[in-house]
Amino acid sequence: MHRSRLLHFSRLAVELVVLLGLYVLGCKLAVVFGVPIPGGVIGLGLLLAAFATGWVKPAALQLGAGLLMAEMLLFFIPALMSLLDYGALLRQDGWRILLVIGASTLLVMLATALTVEAVCRWRMRHEH
């Protein structure tokens, strides 16, 4: 039992290091090339490219990604706590803020869906 927990922890650590490495590489590429795209987005693009080319199987990073997804709320707590300081702003312009958040969320979902669809079609064409 102790050995299996050690293997589980070491696999989790390796997966998190790979995901963090892709993020850091994306940040470095953004700085080197001077593109106005966040390094995290570039890192996700690199991860998508690794998945699409078959260099990395999604199951190989499932444990680390699952941990990050499970703890995602921790990344949003500072932003939520800062809302307490801006109650007057929310009462005055809250509907505009919600409109922007809703519209941007829909645009991101649409862009993601179109990208996934395009990659799936590209992959289907190149597999045959």
Side-chain angles (χ1 to χ4, degrees):
M1 172 113 175
H2 181 66
R3 179 174 162 80
S4 66
R5 294 192 92 198
L6 184 61
L7 287 173
H8 178 79
F9 178 74
S10 61
R11 178 176 174 183
L12 176 64
V14 168
E15 290 180 20
L16 289 174
V17 165
V18 168
L19 292 170
L20 180 63
L22 286 170
Y23 168 73
V24 170
L25 180 60
C27 289
K28 295 285 186 197
L29 289 173
V31 169
V32 168
F33 292 112
V35 293
I37 300 173
V41 173
I42 295 173
L44 284 176
L46 294 172
L47 181 61
L48 178 64
F51 286 158
T53 59
W55 290 349
V56 177
K57 301 284 185 222
L61 299 175
Q62 188 172 5
L63 192 60
L67 175 72
L68 292 175
M69 292 297 289
E71 304 303 329
M72 188 179 260
L73 182 60
L74 292 176
F75 299 115
F76 291 106
I77 287 176
L80 293 175
M81 294 306 291
S82 67
L83 289 178
L84 297 176
D85 295 334
Y86 297 101
L89 174 68
L90 288 177
R91 283 187 291 279
Q92 181 180 354
D93 294 322
W95 69 273
R96 289 182 186 135
I97 294 169
L98 288 176
L99 181 66
V100 168
I101 290 171
S104 62
T105 300
L106 287 175
L107 287 173
V108 167
M109 291 171 70
L110 180 64
T112 302
L114 293 174
T115 302
V116 168
E117 182 68 24
V119 169
C120 287
R121 287 178 187 226
W122 175 84
R123 189 170 181 188
M124 295 278 276
R125 279 194 309 257
H126 288 87
E127 282 182 353
H128 293 30

